[in-house]
Amino acid sequence: MIRILNWLKERRISDRRSFSASLESGDRGLHYDAVIRYRWWLNLDSLAPRPLLPDAMVRNLLREELGGVARSYRVLDRSAAQDAMNALLSRELWDGEGRVRTEAHVRLRIPKPTRRVALQRAEEETALRSSYARESVKLDLLLDRLTDPALGPVWWVNRYADLQLAAGDPKAKVESILGAFAELQKSLHAAKLDQATDEKILVRRKIEEVFKIIEDEESLSLVLQVMNRTLDHLGVRRAGTGEAAVNGKESTPAPGRRIESD
Protein backbone atom coordinates (compact mmCIF):
# COMPACT_ATOMS: atom_id res chain seq x y z
CA MET A 1 0.00 0.00 0.00
CA ILE A 2 2.83 2.37 0.89
CA ARG A 3 4.52 1.63 -2.44
CA ILE A 4 1.31 2.51 -4.28
CA LEU A 5 0.97 5.78 -2.40
CA ASN A 6 4.58 6.68 -3.16
CA TRP A 7 4.01 5.87 -6.83
CA LEU A 8 0.90 8.06 -6.94
CA LYS A 9 2.80 10.88 -5.22
CA GLU A 10 5.65 10.53 -7.69
CA ARG A 11 3.25 10.71 -10.63
CA ARG A 12 1.62 13.81 -9.19
CA ILE A 13 4.82 15.80 -8.67
CA SER A 14 6.50 14.69 -11.90
CA ASP A 15 4.27 16.90 -14.04
CA ARG A 16 6.23 19.18 -16.31
CA ARG A 17 7.15 22.49 -14.70
CA SER A 18 9.12 25.53 -15.80
CA PHE A 19 11.11 28.42 -14.41
CA SER A 20 13.18 31.33 -15.74
CA ALA A 21 16.88 31.85 -15.10
CA SER A 22 19.53 34.39 -16.02
CA LEU A 23 22.66 32.61 -17.26
CA GLU A 24 25.92 34.50 -17.68
CA SER A 25 27.48 34.09 -21.12
CA GLY A 26 31.11 34.10 -22.20
CA ASP A 27 30.81 37.89 -22.56
CA ARG A 28 31.51 39.10 -19.05
CA GLY A 29 28.50 40.86 -17.59
CA LEU A 30 26.08 39.80 -20.36
CA HIS A 31 23.42 37.17 -19.72
CA TYR A 32 21.01 34.90 -21.53
CA ASP A 33 17.38 34.78 -20.45
CA ALA A 34 16.56 31.08 -20.17
CA VAL A 35 13.19 29.37 -19.85
CA ILE A 36 13.71 25.85 -18.52
CA ARG A 37 10.95 23.23 -18.66
CA TYR A 38 11.59 20.19 -16.50
CA ARG A 39 10.19 17.31 -14.53
CA TRP A 40 11.70 14.98 -11.99
CA TRP A 41 11.15 11.65 -10.29
CA LEU A 42 12.20 10.43 -6.87
CA ASN A 43 14.38 7.35 -6.84
CA LEU A 44 12.46 5.10 -4.46
CA ASP A 45 15.32 2.57 -4.40
CA SER A 46 17.90 5.07 -3.16
CA LEU A 47 19.26 4.41 0.32
CA ALA A 48 20.09 8.10 0.83
CA PRO A 49 17.62 10.25 2.78
CA ARG A 50 14.99 11.79 0.56
CA PRO A 51 15.40 15.52 -0.10
CA LEU A 52 13.02 17.73 1.84
CA LEU A 53 12.69 20.19 -1.09
CA PRO A 54 13.34 18.16 -4.24
CA ASP A 55 11.89 20.79 -6.59
CA ALA A 56 14.26 23.47 -5.33
CA MET A 57 17.15 21.01 -5.51
CA VAL A 58 16.33 20.18 -9.14
CA ARG A 59 16.14 23.85 -10.14
CA ASN A 60 19.51 24.52 -8.51
CA LEU A 61 21.02 21.49 -10.29
CA LEU A 62 19.75 22.73 -13.66
CA ARG A 63 21.08 26.26 -13.06
CA GLU A 64 24.55 24.91 -12.27
CA GLU A 65 24.68 22.52 -15.24
CA LEU A 66 23.35 25.00 -17.79
CA GLY A 67 25.38 27.89 -16.36
CA GLY A 68 28.60 26.00 -17.02
CA VAL A 69 27.63 25.57 -20.68
CA ALA A 70 26.45 29.18 -21.07
CA ARG A 71 29.84 30.56 -20.00
CA SER A 72 31.45 28.78 -22.95
CA TYR A 73 29.56 30.84 -25.55
CA ARG A 74 29.38 34.47 -26.58
CA VAL A 75 26.00 36.17 -26.29
CA LEU A 76 25.55 36.40 -30.07
CA ASP A 77 26.11 32.63 -30.36
CA ARG A 78 22.68 31.97 -28.86
CA SER A 79 21.71 29.12 -31.19
CA ALA A 80 24.94 27.21 -30.59
CA ALA A 81 24.63 27.73 -26.83
CA GLN A 82 21.03 26.49 -26.82
CA ASP A 83 21.93 23.40 -28.86
CA ALA A 84 24.79 22.59 -26.48
CA MET A 85 22.54 22.95 -23.44
CA ASN A 86 19.82 20.74 -24.86
CA ALA A 87 22.44 18.19 -25.88
CA LEU A 88 23.48 18.10 -22.22
CA LEU A 89 19.84 17.74 -21.16
CA SER A 90 19.18 14.96 -23.66
CA ARG A 91 20.59 12.54 -21.13
CA GLU A 92 19.14 12.00 -17.69
CA LEU A 93 20.43 14.19 -14.90
CA TRP A 94 20.81 12.91 -11.36
CA ASP A 95 21.76 14.67 -8.19
CA GLY A 96 25.05 13.70 -6.56
CA GLU A 97 23.47 11.01 -4.37
CA GLY A 98 21.20 9.55 -7.05
CA ARG A 99 17.99 10.50 -5.24
CA VAL A 100 16.26 12.47 -8.00
CA ARG A 101 16.17 11.94 -11.77
CA THR A 102 15.55 15.00 -13.95
CA GLU A 103 14.55 15.62 -17.56
CA ALA A 104 14.54 19.15 -18.99
CA HIS A 105 14.55 21.36 -22.07
CA VAL A 106 15.76 24.95 -22.36
CA ARG A 107 15.05 27.92 -24.62
CA LEU A 108 17.28 30.97 -24.70
CA ARG A 109 16.58 34.55 -25.65
CA ILE A 110 18.71 37.68 -25.67
CA PRO A 111 17.17 40.89 -24.29
CA LYS A 112 17.38 43.82 -26.70
CA PRO A 113 19.65 45.95 -24.43
CA THR A 114 22.00 42.98 -24.07
CA ARG A 115 22.08 42.44 -27.84
CA ARG A 116 22.94 46.11 -28.43
CA VAL A 117 25.85 45.93 -25.98
CA ALA A 118 27.08 42.68 -27.52
CA LEU A 119 27.00 44.12 -31.05
CA GLN A 120 28.85 47.23 -29.91
CA ARG A 121 31.54 45.09 -28.26
CA ALA A 122 31.89 43.00 -31.41
CA GLU A 123 32.38 46.12 -33.54
CA GLU A 124 34.98 47.49 -31.12
CA GLU A 125 36.86 44.16 -31.09
CA THR A 126 36.90 44.05 -34.89
CA ALA A 127 38.24 47.60 -35.07
CA LEU A 128 40.90 46.81 -32.47
CA ARG A 129 42.02 43.66 -34.31
CA SER A 130 42.26 45.63 -37.57
CA SER A 131 44.32 48.28 -35.82
CA TYR A 132 46.68 45.65 -34.38
CA ALA A 133 47.02 44.01 -37.80
CA ARG A 134 47.94 47.34 -39.45
CA GLU A 135 50.43 48.08 -36.68
CA SER A 136 52.01 44.63 -37.06
CA VAL A 137 52.50 45.16 -40.80
CA LYS A 138 54.01 48.58 -40.13
CA LEU A 139 56.41 47.16 -37.54
CA ASP A 140 57.43 44.29 -39.86
CA LEU A 141 58.30 46.79 -42.60
CA LEU A 142 60.19 48.92 -40.09
CA LEU A 143 62.16 45.87 -38.95
CA ASP A 144 63.13 45.11 -42.54
CA ARG A 145 64.32 48.69 -42.96
CA LEU A 146 66.34 48.70 -39.73
CA THR A 147 68.06 45.40 -40.51
CA ASP A 148 68.91 46.42 -44.10
CA PRO A 149 72.72 46.83 -44.11
CA ALA A 150 72.64 49.53 -46.79
CA LEU A 151 69.43 51.49 -46.34
CA GLY A 152 69.15 51.06 -42.57
CA PRO A 153 71.89 53.49 -41.51
CA VAL A 154 70.91 56.02 -44.21
CA TRP A 155 67.28 55.97 -43.08
CA TRP A 156 68.33 56.27 -39.45
CA VAL A 157 70.57 59.27 -40.08
CA ASN A 158 67.92 60.93 -42.23
CA ARG A 159 65.33 60.44 -39.51
CA TYR A 160 67.39 62.17 -36.83
CA ALA A 161 69.28 64.63 -39.01
CA ASP A 162 67.02 67.58 -38.21
CA LEU A 163 67.38 67.02 -34.48
CA GLN A 164 71.03 66.11 -34.24
CA LEU A 165 72.71 68.13 -37.01
CA ALA A 166 71.02 71.48 -36.42
CA ALA A 167 73.83 72.60 -34.13
CA GLY A 168 77.29 71.40 -33.17
CA ASP A 169 79.91 69.37 -34.99
CA PRO A 170 78.22 67.32 -37.79
CA LYS A 171 80.88 64.61 -37.63
CA ALA A 172 80.37 64.02 -33.92
CA LYS A 173 76.61 64.07 -34.38
CA VAL A 174 76.73 61.51 -37.21
CA GLU A 175 79.01 59.27 -35.17
CA SER A 176 76.54 59.52 -32.30
CA ILE A 177 73.62 58.67 -34.56
CA LEU A 178 75.39 55.70 -36.13
CA GLY A 179 76.52 54.49 -32.72
CA ALA A 180 72.92 54.45 -31.54
CA PHE A 181 71.93 52.65 -34.74
CA ALA A 182 74.66 50.04 -34.21
CA GLU A 183 73.34 49.33 -30.72
CA LEU A 184 69.82 48.96 -32.10
CA GLN A 185 70.94 46.56 -34.83
CA LYS A 186 72.89 44.55 -32.28
CA SER A 187 69.73 44.10 -30.22
CA LEU A 188 67.68 43.19 -33.28
CA HIS A 189 70.31 40.71 -34.39
CA ALA A 190 70.33 39.08 -30.94
CA ALA A 191 66.53 38.83 -31.03
CA LYS A 192 66.62 37.14 -34.42
CA LEU A 193 69.22 34.65 -33.20
CA ASP A 194 67.01 33.78 -30.26
CA GLN A 195 64.21 32.97 -32.69
CA ALA A 196 66.38 30.98 -35.09
CA THR A 197 68.12 29.07 -32.23
CA ASP A 198 71.90 29.52 -32.46
CA GLU A 199 74.39 31.42 -34.61
CA LYS A 200 76.38 28.27 -35.36
CA ILE A 201 73.28 26.64 -36.79
CA LEU A 202 72.73 29.68 -38.99
CA VAL A 203 76.31 29.34 -40.26
CA ARG A 204 75.72 25.70 -41.14
CA ARG A 205 72.51 26.57 -43.00
CA LYS A 206 74.36 29.17 -45.08
CA ILE A 207 77.10 26.65 -45.88
CA GLU A 208 74.56 24.07 -47.00
CA GLU A 209 72.99 26.65 -49.31
CA VAL A 210 76.40 27.22 -50.89
CA PHE A 211 76.85 23.48 -51.48
CA LYS A 212 73.56 23.29 -53.34
CA ILE A 213 74.57 25.81 -56.00
CA ILE A 214 78.16 24.57 -56.66
CA GLU A 215 78.26 22.09 -59.54
CA ASP A 216 81.93 22.24 -60.61
CA GLU A 217 83.87 19.51 -58.74
CA GLU A 218 87.16 21.44 -58.62
CA SER A 219 85.48 24.54 -57.24
CA LEU A 220 83.58 22.42 -54.78
CA SER A 221 86.80 20.83 -53.54
CA LEU A 222 88.38 24.22 -52.86
CA VAL A 223 85.24 25.51 -51.15
CA LEU A 224 85.06 22.41 -48.97
CA GLN A 225 88.61 22.92 -47.74
CA VAL A 226 87.82 26.49 -46.76
CA MET A 227 84.57 25.45 -45.15
CA ASN A 228 86.23 22.67 -43.19
CA ARG A 229 88.73 25.09 -41.70
CA THR A 230 85.90 27.50 -40.89
CA LEU A 231 83.83 24.81 -39.23
CA ASP A 232 86.87 23.62 -37.26
CA HIS A 233 87.39 27.16 -36.05
CA LEU A 234 83.76 27.57 -35.01
CA GLY A 235 83.43 24.06 -33.63
CA VAL A 236 80.28 23.48 -35.66
CA ARG A 237 80.94 20.19 -37.44
CA ARG A 238 78.96 17.17 -36.35
CA ALA A 239 80.71 14.68 -34.12
CA GLY A 240 82.33 11.91 -36.12
CA THR A 241 82.68 14.02 -39.27
CA GLY A 242 86.21 14.38 -40.62
CA GLU A 243 87.72 16.88 -43.03
CA ALA A 244 86.94 14.62 -45.96
CA ALA A 245 83.16 14.93 -45.65
CA VAL A 246 80.88 17.88 -45.05
CA ASN A 247 77.16 17.57 -45.63
CA GLY A 248 77.65 14.12 -47.15
CA LYS A 249 80.10 15.18 -49.92
CA GLU A 250 83.71 14.07 -50.35
CA SER A 251 86.46 16.68 -50.42
CA THR A 252 89.99 16.47 -51.77
CA PRO A 253 92.54 16.50 -48.93
CA ALA A 254 95.00 19.37 -48.90
CA PRO A 255 98.54 18.61 -50.24
CA GLY A 256 100.91 17.16 -47.70
CA ARG A 257 98.09 16.09 -45.41
CA ARG A 258 96.63 12.63 -44.96
CA ILE A 259 93.24 11.59 -43.72
CA GLU A 260 93.37 8.60 -41.46
CA SER A 261 90.53 6.20 -41.08
CA ASP A 262 89.84 3.69 -38.39
Side-chain angles (χ1 to χ4, degrees), residues 148-176:
D148 189 303
L151 293 179
V154 177
W155 178 84
W156 186 260
V157 170
N158 181 68
R159 179 181 181 184
Y160 292 102
D162 293 340
L163 297 176
Q164 296 288 344
L165 304 180
D169 183 6
K171 179 180 179 180
K173 295 297 184 180
V174 170
E175 290 177 351
S176 175

Side-chain angles (χ1 to χ4, degrees), residues 68-238:
V69 177
R71 287 188 290 272
S72 302
Y73 291 87
R74 308 289 298 270
V75 159
L76 299 178
D77 296 331
R78 182 195 63 82
S79 296
Q82 181 173 286
D83 289 344
M85 291 180 188
N86 284 318
L88 172 67
L89 297 174
S90 65
R91 56 184 176 83
E92 295 179 350
L93 290 180
W94 291 82
D95 67 299
E97 297 178 308
R99 296 172 295 175
V100 180
R101 176 171 64 89
T102 305
E103 293 180 358
H105 179 271
V106 63
R107 292 188 63 182
L108 299 179
R109 62 178 296 272
I110 307 173
K112 289 183 178 180
T114 301
R115 180 179 293 276
R116 283 197 298 268
V117 174
L119 290 172
Q120 182 179 356
R121 287 188 184 182
E123 291 176 0
E124 292 172 351
E125 289 176 4
T126 300
L128 190 59
R129 288 194 182 96
S130 298
S131 175
Y132 282 166
R134 289 194 299 270
E135 186 177 1
S136 297
V137 171
K138 179 181 177 181
L139 292 176
D140 285 338
L141 294 175
L142 179 58
L143 180 61
D144 291 340
R145 175 59 55 87
L146 289 173
T147 53
D148 189 303
L151 293 179
V154 177
W155 178 84
W156 186 260
V157 170
N158 181 68
R159 179 181 181 184
Y160 292 102
D162 293 340
L163 297 176
Q164 296 288 344
L165 304 180
D169 183 6
K171 179 180 179 180
K173 295 297 184 180
V174 170
E175 290 177 351
S176 175
I177 295 173
L178 292 179
F181 179 77
E183 286 297 319
L184 177 62
Q185 275 208 323
K186 182 179 178 181
S187 299
L188 294 175
H189 181 65
K192 280 193 170 183
L193 287 181
D194 289 341
Q195 294 178 355
T197 64
D198 185 74
E199 188 171 9
K200 293 180 181 180
I201 296 178
L202 293 178
V203 172
R204 175 172 289 280
R205 288 176 182 171
K206 293 297 182 182
I207 292 174
E208 291 175 350
E209 290 177 5
V210 172
F211 289 153
K212 291 178 182 178
I213 62 174
I214 297 178
E215 298 180 356
D216 179 66
E217 292 295 332
E218 184 177 355
S219 300
L220 177 61
S221 175
L222 294 175
V223 171
L224 287 175
Q225 293 181 42
V226 175
M227 292 302 180
N228 282 331
R229 287 194 291 270
T230 303
L231 293 174
D232 283 337
H233 177 71
L234 294 175
V236 182
R237 283 197 292 172
R238 298 186 181 93

